[in-house]
Amino acid sequence: MAALKKLKRLVRGNVKLTTLAREAIRRIRVVVRDRKERAFVESNALIQPRMTRMNAEGKFFDFGVFDGAFDTGEVIAAADDIVSGEEIEWRRDPLSKYDWPLEYHRDLKLMRGDGSDVRVVWEVNRLGHFVTLARAYALTRDERYSDAFARQLRSWAEQNPYGRGPNWACAMEVALRAMNLLAAVDAFRHSSHFDRQFLLQLFQQHGSYIESNLEFSYLATSNHYLSDVTGLLWLGLMLPELSDSKRWRDFGLRELLREMDKQVLADGADFEASTGYHRFVTELFLYSFMLCRENGVEIDQKYWARLRQMLIYVRSYLRPDGFAPLIGDTDSGQVLPVLRRRADDHEYVLKIGARVFNDPELERACESSIAFPSTGIYIMRQSDLYLCFNATDAGINGRGSHGHNDALSIEVSAHGTAFIVDPGTYVYSANLDERHKFRSTAYHSTVQIDGEEQNTTHRDTPFVIGNEAKPRVLEWNTSDDFDKVVAEHYGYRRLPDPVTHRRSVEFNKRERSWLIEDEFFTDADHLYEVRFHFAPDLNVTVNGASVEARTADKKLVIRALSTDTRPVLEDQATSHDYGQIRGSISGCWRISGRPGKLSWQIL
């Protein structure tokens, strides 16, 4: 039975038999390669830098484009906190206190079920805080920052021998660590603490590991493989004195562009059905294109145009308060985190992008309604009113890993205040019950039928989601006075008595209101639970068949137009950042039978 479940997970999505055959051969080769790597690691042999041109140097990363995106005072304050911090135990989970062992990396069980979260350990070991130290050092030439960098990097190398422990267990993490180190090193190269030979050995280890452990699959690739090849590109560009650099550079650039063709949809969105990973992937491309330009490596104009469209997508989905709807998963990951930004803060990417493209328009607030049909995101807006309609599928061509059960859900903002929101992600492996809850249908502002999920999910497979819903948009119109979108999904066609859910949203811009109509096509009775998930810190009350959400001076009302059923309020948490959780409320109307159509007005 376990083997059958594994096979079903393997072939989910659109997979050809020839692709399965190629994947089977690839996995056999991985097993052979793993045996050689295991023998090398267990021999405790050292990887030495393979040199070709001792005096060659690549052009390093230009942090000047970050100046308008991050406040100088904040950068220095953050660096001071790092300098004054305690010694770091690099393999210890700071939350659960679990100390990961120095086993061969493939032998580690990353999902332990004891509250430990390897993602938290990985975040620290990406060494992104070195970028903060480097930026502060470049601004002040204060040797405290270079001393902290040197001490911590030596400590890291001593506690993390090659190929052992959690920090060598994922090529993506190794690649991001290499990128942060490369970006930081340039600032410290004139410091008395700079040890180039030690760094070259460390970079050789990172490049060799990534090349031997690429997270490639013929079935699907994602932000993991994209990070791998980006890391190789950076190592190849910035360390030409290593004999492997040309191979890393050429392979990394070729695969980076190939993945852009695969992973970025026609309208500019990342294909993982996640705004959080869209921010992350946009940064990977944006900073890599900058680095190529600095080093005289040409990139075809069509890829620059695609990158600009990725920035336009960010600009378009930002709410009037400047924050992003957290559609799908987010682990709050950033590339080159000069300053850490929470998961729903994407505005800084636009500021950097505007400088890279020399286009101030990219950082100006979007003021009009816009559709992204390839993605399934439809934005209705006028002045301080905003609604995001979600008709995304599971992502990754139906093989979703970071999508949620959020088909036909909405986010609503008014008067600069987010009222109806997506709850976010909270955690991955640290708590599988919470992970399952945050990606569930019941946690999103849509309709749940008979207590079932729109797409199949299982608690014990936190990165697998079915693609039964397959939302389809039937109509989209926008004008000066009205916007309208109509879509349906088929996730409940798999019920014994099938149901198709169709939702239309009409935005009356003059009356500053939305009309939502939910239609159900079925021949049987069902239980319908219609929910709207409210942001934290709102005063939410029930008034007859309506729900009201208030701040001190603002109010949003959801009024039931076709039922006198009194809604109930449910405690459902919201997370604006990975690992962070806050109490919030949803309003739920429970209606049994065969209602045909239910209508709601949002004022």
Side-chain angles (χ1 to χ4, degrees):
M1 184 63 70
L4 180 61
K5 288 182 178 179
K6 188 173 182 179
L7 180 62
K8 286 182 178 179
R9 290 199 299 270
L10 186 68
V11 300
R12 72 189 192 277
N14 304 317
V15 180
K16 298 178 181 178
L17 288 176
T18 52
T19 303
L20 278 175
R22 296 174 76 188
E23 178 64 14
I25 294 170
R26 184 195 70 82
R27 293 189 179 205
I28 292 171
R29 289 173 177 165
V30 168
V31 171
V32 174
R33 189 165 61 243
D34 174 58
R35 289 173 184 164
K36 294 180 180 179
E37 184 187 50
R38 181 188 295 271
F40 178 83
V41 170
E42 291 179 351
S43 73
N44 295 316
L46 292 176
I47 292 180
Q48 297 294 341
R50 296 186 282 271
M51 309 297 291
T52 177
R53 289 174 292 167
M54 293 299 295
N55 297 320
E57 288 188 0
K59 291 184 179 178
F60 280 63
F61 192 82
D62 178 14
F63 275 97
V65 295
F66 282 21
D67 288 345
F70 301 108
D71 179 80
T72 298
E74 284 187 75
V75 172
I76 293 173
D80 288 342
D81 288 340
I82 295 168
V83 169
S84 61
E86 298 178 355
E87 291 296 317
I88 299 174
E89 296 179 85
W90 295 102
R91 301 190 312 275
R92 184 179 295 277
D93 182 339
L95 300 181
S96 70
K97 306 305 179 185
Y98 177 71
D99 192 7
W100 291 80
L102 281 177
E103 296 177 6
Y104 175 61
H105 67 90
R106 291 190 187 275
D107 292 340
L108 291 170
K109 183 181 179 182
L110 298 182
M111 287 196 296
R112 298 175 43 81
D114 60 358
S116 60
D117 190 344
V118 73
R119 173 66 188 85
V120 176
V121 177
W122 283 345
E123 180 63 37
V124 176
N125 285 270
R126 288 180 180 182
L127 305 184
H129 64 285
F130 284 178
V131 179
T132 308
L133 289 175
R135 193 68 190 129
Y137 181 76
L139 293 167
T140 65
R141 294 301 176 190
D142 188 333
E143 290 295 338
R144 292 182 305 133
Y145 304 133
S146 62
D147 177 65
F149 168 76
R151 277 189 298 100
Q152 290 192 17
L153 187 56
R154 287 282 182 182
S155 166
W156 187 92
E158 290 168 2
Q159 294 183 38
N160 294 277
Y162 178 84
R164 296 183 181 273
N167 299 316
W168 292 102
C170 175
M172 173 185 182
E173 299 303 319
V174 177
L176 293 172
R177 180 164 61 244
M179 292 167 63
N180 284 324
L181 279 174
L182 286 165
V185 156
D186 188 45
F188 294 121
R189 62 173 51 209
H190 301 298
S191 165
S192 59
H193 298 101
F194 191 80
D195 185 342
R196 187 163 188 80
Q197 189 62 29
F198 166 65
L199 286 165
L200 286 173
Q201 181 179 30
L202 205 54
F203 285 132
Q204 182 73 59
Q205 289 179 348
H206 281 63
S208 297
Y209 178 91
I210 298 165
E211 193 172 29
S212 298
N213 293 275
L214 289 168
E215 295 164 279
F216 174 82
S217 167
Y218 288 105
L219 302 178
T221 51
S222 68
N223 68 85
H224 275 247
Y225 181 65
L226 178 61
S227 298
D228 300 347
V229 299
T230 303
L232 288 177
L233 170 63
W234 282 50
L235 287 161
L237 281 172
M238 299 167 78
L239 299 169
E241 60 266 54
L242 295 179
S243 59
D244 295 322
S245 63
K246 185 178 186 305
R247 185 177 71 256
W248 291 344
R249 184 197 67 198
D250 293 347
F251 174 81
L253 180 60
R254 182 177 71 249
E255 291 299 295
L256 179 85
L257 299 179
R258 184 177 292 174
E259 290 305 305
M260 180 176 252
D261 288 332
K262 289 167 58 177
Q263 296 193 31
V264 181
L265 301 174
D267 51 22
D270 174 61
F271 79 154
E272 294 191 70
S274 157
T275 51
Y277 282 99
H278 179 82
R279 179 183 78 170
F280 177 77
V281 167
T282 300
E283 287 190 280
L284 283 174
F285 286 122
L286 181 62
Y287 306 155
S288 296
F289 281 28
M290 288 169 56
L291 188 64
C292 285
R293 189 164 66 186
E294 286 291 314
N295 283 274
V297 176
E298 290 191 10
I299 293 176
D300 192 286
Q301 187 57 38
K302 73 174 184 178
Y303 293 110
W304 281 100
R306 183 69 64 87
L307 175 58
R308 189 176 187 279
Q309 187 59 39
M310 296 181 77
L311 293 165
I312 290 172
Y313 180 55
V314 175
R315 176 176 176 264
S316 300
Y317 64 59
L318 290 187
R319 301 190 303 248
D321 64 0
F323 291 99
L326 289 178
I327 297 166
D329 275 348
T330 178
D331 66 357
S332 302
Q334 291 175 253
V335 182
L336 305 186
V338 175
L339 283 175
R340 194 182 184 284
R341 295 301 187 204
R342 75 184 202 187
D344 59 355
D345 183 353
H346 299 192
E347 198 169 29
Y348 70 91
V349 181
L350 295 178
K351 293 180 179 179
I352 298 168
R355 284 155 181 77
V356 172
F357 280 89
N358 192 25
D359 183 2
E361 188 67 25
L362 286 171
E363 59 179 321
R364 294 195 182 113
C366 187
E367 297 179 352
S368 58
S369 300
I370 189 169
F372 295 89
S374 299
T375 308
I377 293 296
Y378 295 78
I379 306 294
M380 300 176 172
R381 70 164 83 226
Q382 185 183 58
S383 184
D384 62 350
L385 299 182
Y386 166 100
L387 183 144
C388 175
F389 182 80
N390 185 349
T392 60
D393 66 6
I396 315 183
N397 302 323
R399 290 184 55 82
S401 58
H402 289 303
H404 287 186
N405 279 326
D406 51 14
L408 313 191
S409 65
I410 62 170
E411 281 220 11
V412 176
S413 177
H415 302 295
T417 297
F419 280 95
I420 301 172
V421 298
D422 189 293
T425 299
Y426 183 33
V427 291
Y428 286 161
S429 60
N431 188 323
L432 293 183
D433 290 325
E434 291 296 309
R435 163 67 170 155
H436 191 56
K437 186 188 300 180
F438 269 78
R439 65 175 182 158
S440 70
T441 308
Y443 254 52
H444 293 86
S445 298
T446 185
V447 182
Q448 186 175 27
I449 300 178
D450 293 343
E452 297 289 334
E453 294 293 338
Q454 295 173 334
N455 298 298
T456 52
T457 55
H458 299 280
R459 173 191 177 277
D460 296 330
T461 52
F463 297 104
V464 175
I465 186 170
N467 194 36
E468 294 88 354
K470 296 180 180 176
R472 184 166 69 100
V473 174
L474 307 176
E475 179 183 348
W476 164 254
N477 289 300
T478 182
S479 67
D480 291 342
D481 296 327
F482 292 93
D483 292 340
K484 185 176 183 181
V485 63
V486 182
E488 62 187 24
H489 81 82
Y490 311 104
Y492 294 118
R493 297 296 297 171
R494 71 183 193 279
L495 296 178
D497 296 305
V499 188
T500 296
H501 174 205
R502 179 179 296 170
R503 171 170 277 188
S504 67
V505 180
E506 186 172 314
F507 180 23
N508 187 323
K509 298 176 182 179
R510 293 186 181 277
E511 295 184 4
R512 296 174 61 81
S513 68
W514 288 273
L515 174 66
I516 299 178
E517 293 185 334
D518 289 308
E519 294 184 80
F520 309 101
F521 300 93
T522 183
D523 296 324
D525 291 351
H526 295 275
L527 171 64
Y528 300 91
E529 294 174 288
V530 186
R531 290 183 176 88
F532 296 95
H533 190 105
F534 292 101
D537 300 326
L538 297 175
N539 180 18
V540 182
T541 58
V542 172
N543 183 3
S546 300
V547 172
E548 298 180 359
R550 298 174 179 265
T551 66
D553 58 348
K554 304 165 189 174
K555 179 173 72 171
L556 181 131
V557 179
I558 304 176
R559 178 184 300 163
L561 301 181
S562 55
T563 179
D564 57 4
T565 299
R566 184 178 177 85
V568 297
L569 301 182
E570 300 174 333
D571 292 325
Q572 292 190 328
T574 297
S575 175
H576 289 142
D577 210 5
Y578 189 83
Q580 174 268 352
I581 192 169
R582 299 178 66 191
S584 57
I585 298 291
S586 71
C588 176
W589 287 259
R590 292 190 174 91
I591 300 163
S592 297
R594 207 177 308 177
K597 180 187 290 187
L598 296 170
S599 301
W600 324 91
Q601 187 179 35
I602 300 180
L603 299 167

